[in-house]
Amino acid sequence: MTRTLGRLHRLSRQPARKSAPSEACERPEPIEPPPTGLRFLPWLLMGLGSLAHLFQGRTSNPWIGVLGLLVFNSLYIYVAVRSFHEKSRESPSTRLALVVMTLVTCGLSLAFGGNWLLFFPLLGLAAGAALRGRWLGRWGWSLAVLAGAVAGSQDGWGGLSIAYGTFLSTMVTAAILSLSDAVRQLRAAREELATRAVAEERLRFSRDLHDLLGHTLSVIVVKSEAARRLAPRDLDAALTQITDIEAVGRQALTEVREAVTGYREGSLGTELDRARSALTAADVEPVVHLSGPPLPAQTEALLGWVVREAVTNVVRHSGASRCEIAVSGSAERVRLTVTDNGTGGDGPAQGPGTGLTGLTERLAAAGGSLTAGADPQGGFAVTAELPVGAEGTTVGADETAAGA
């Protein structure tokens, strides 16, 4: 017994050490902070040529040029910063600032020409950042035509390069920023899915561990009590109970290993045999009825969990002298009932426990249902219903068994 519990303890510690590297390898990449409008500020260096003309006195009406340069730069920074937040990007103030920026660019280009025409590509950068969406193409072409017309009036055919640069800066900026947003959203979704997968796996493992060890330890306790009672008067019977305890412990080791790796598939027949043994050791008369066609392995596994949990509650809480387990089904659905003649809802089993809550979730995920509560005829009843899958294995038909 001591060796069995020691092996269980070592086994429970092993997966944590082995799973740590794999979890580290599968951890999603950290999400980078979102870009800001500060990345657009270096492009203002394109206006250095206009600023140089102002200092060199090569610009007529320099005060108008200085004022226009300050207004343009201020609007450019305002639009660029607000374009990286969805709500502020689509706000009327941002759109109005973009319109005023367009008018200032046209006025400066018509008034001074030359290097001042380079403000149109800068306008395209701001427009591409602010006008992302289905209307981007129309705005991009419209802005390019406007830039070409204004630049053409000042620089002839050279205006085509300004129009091309304006269109390119608008569309490329919008494409890069939209792609960056899409990548961030995908990474956020990936991280959310990974978090949910970890939570679901933890829930599955805790549910399996509760169902496995809760039942197994209850059987060990009941059989230990039986062995203690039998030892003074019937040593052979006591040794039989101790042998059963060893077998239950070994089986628990196997089941815990399988639960850790996620490959455990229970057998309804095996669980019914264990239920008979546990109930008999607890001085509860087991009565089992099986009828209907063969059941798929997955359906058997789910019903096995129900039998395990329901019988554990009978042994622990019911104080019953008789427990009846009935399985009946058709080609479409199967029904399992576990009833006893104990204290029912007046005992500790009143209300759904952790095990029954986990079973309800399991059956609901498989399209079934589980109900538990006091039976009108006395005692406690657990009823599970499941749809029958396509794959089938035999569980027995028209069999009735009763144990002393």
Side-chain angles (χ1 to χ4, degrees):
M1 180 66 181
T2 304
R3 291 196 301 270
T4 299
L5 293 177
R7 292 175 65 185
L8 272 173
H9 177 67
R10 290 194 300 272
L11 179 62
S12 65
R13 296 180 59 186
Q14 268 187 335
R17 295 195 301 267
K18 292 184 178 179
S19 61
S22 61
E23 288 179 1
C25 294
E26 296 177 1
R27 185 176 300 167
E29 298 178 3
I31 300 177
E32 298 178 357
T36 64
L38 298 178
R39 298 186 179 185
F40 275 49
L41 296 185
W43 291 101
L44 287 174
L45 295 175
M46 292 177 62
L48 286 179
S50 303
L51 185 62
H53 284 183
L54 288 173
F55 281 109
Q56 294 171 2
R58 297 167 55 186
T59 302
S60 59
N61 299 317
W63 291 109
I64 295 178
V66 170
L67 179 62
L69 190 61
L70 290 175
V71 172
F72 179 88
N73 289 342
S74 300
L75 290 173
Y76 176 88
I77 295 173
Y78 179 82
V79 173
V81 170
R82 292 177 63 85
S83 294
F84 286 87
H85 303 279
E86 186 175 359
K87 291 184 178 180
S88 60
R89 181 171 68 240
E90 298 177 354
S91 66
S93 61
T94 304
R95 302 300 169 87
L96 179 61
L98 192 60
V99 171
V100 175
M101 186 178 174
T102 302
L103 295 176
V104 171
T105 303
C106 291
L108 293 175
S109 298
L110 290 173
F112 304 116
N115 288 332
W116 295 85
L117 297 176
L118 295 178
F119 286 137
F120 273 110
L122 286 175
L123 175 62
L125 287 173
L131 299 177
R132 284 173 273 170
R134 60 178 181 174
W135 298 103
L136 175 64
R138 295 184 181 182
W139 289 113
W141 282 110
S142 300
L143 191 60
V145 171
L146 176 62
V150 174
S153 66
Q154 298 294 314
D155 196 23
W157 291 103
L160 293 177
S161 60
I162 297 296
Y164 176 74
T166 302
F167 178 77
L168 194 64
S169 62
T170 303
M171 303 307 291
V172 170
T173 300
I176 291 176
L177 293 179
S178 298
L179 183 60
S180 175
D181 288 345
V183 170
R184 286 183 52 79
Q185 292 173 6
L186 288 174
R187 287 184 176 177
R190 179 185 175 188
E191 183 173 336
E192 178 67 20
L193 290 174
T195 302
R196 290 185 180 181
V198 170
E200 290 176 359
E201 180 62 16
R202 286 176 178 171
L203 178 61
R204 179 199 69 80
F205 183 74
S206 63
R207 193 166 51 199
D208 286 1
L209 200 61
H210 171 274
D211 295 343
L212 285 170
L213 295 185
H215 173 79
T216 301
L217 294 177
S218 296
V219 173
I220 290 174
V221 169
V222 170
K223 287 186 172 292
S224 298
E225 292 175 349
R228 178 174 52 80
R229 292 195 305 267
L230 292 171
R233 63 178 186 272
D234 191 344
L235 186 58
D236 291 338
L239 289 175
T240 300
Q241 296 294 332
I242 294 174
T243 303
D244 290 344
I245 292 173
E246 182 181 1
V248 169
R250 292 183 183 277
Q251 182 63 31
L253 282 173
T254 302
E255 290 177 347
V256 169
R257 291 191 187 101
E258 293 172 346
V260 168
T261 56
Y263 293 115
R264 184 177 189 273
E265 290 188 2
S267 167
L268 181 58
T270 302
E271 294 298 339
L272 290 175
D273 291 339
R274 293 176 183 170
R276 290 189 186 97
S277 176
L279 291 170
T280 301
D283 294 328
V284 180
E285 177 188 3
V287 180
V288 180
H289 304 282
L290 298 178
S291 64
L295 298 176
Q298 184 63 24
T299 304
E300 279 200 22
L302 289 172
L303 293 180
W305 284 111
V306 177
V307 170
R308 174 186 288 264
E309 179 63 26
V311 170
T312 300
N313 288 337
V314 171
V315 171
R316 283 180 175 177
H317 309 303
S318 70
S321 61
R322 187 174 187 273
C323 177
E324 182 175 346
I325 304 172
V327 180
S328 61
S330 62
E332 290 79 21
R333 295 189 71 83
V334 61
R335 179 187 179 93
L336 167 69
T337 58
V338 180
T339 57
D340 63 68
N341 62 350
T343 57
D346 298 330
Q350 181 177 4
T354 304
L356 292 179
T357 300
L359 286 174
T360 302
E361 295 172 355
R362 286 175 185 270
L363 269 64
S369 63
L370 184 138
T371 57
D375 190 66
Q377 299 178 355
F380 198 80
V382 176
T383 303
E385 291 191 7
L386 274 173
V388 177
E391 219 179 345
T393 56
T394 304
V395 281
D398 299 322
E399 176 188 345
T400 303

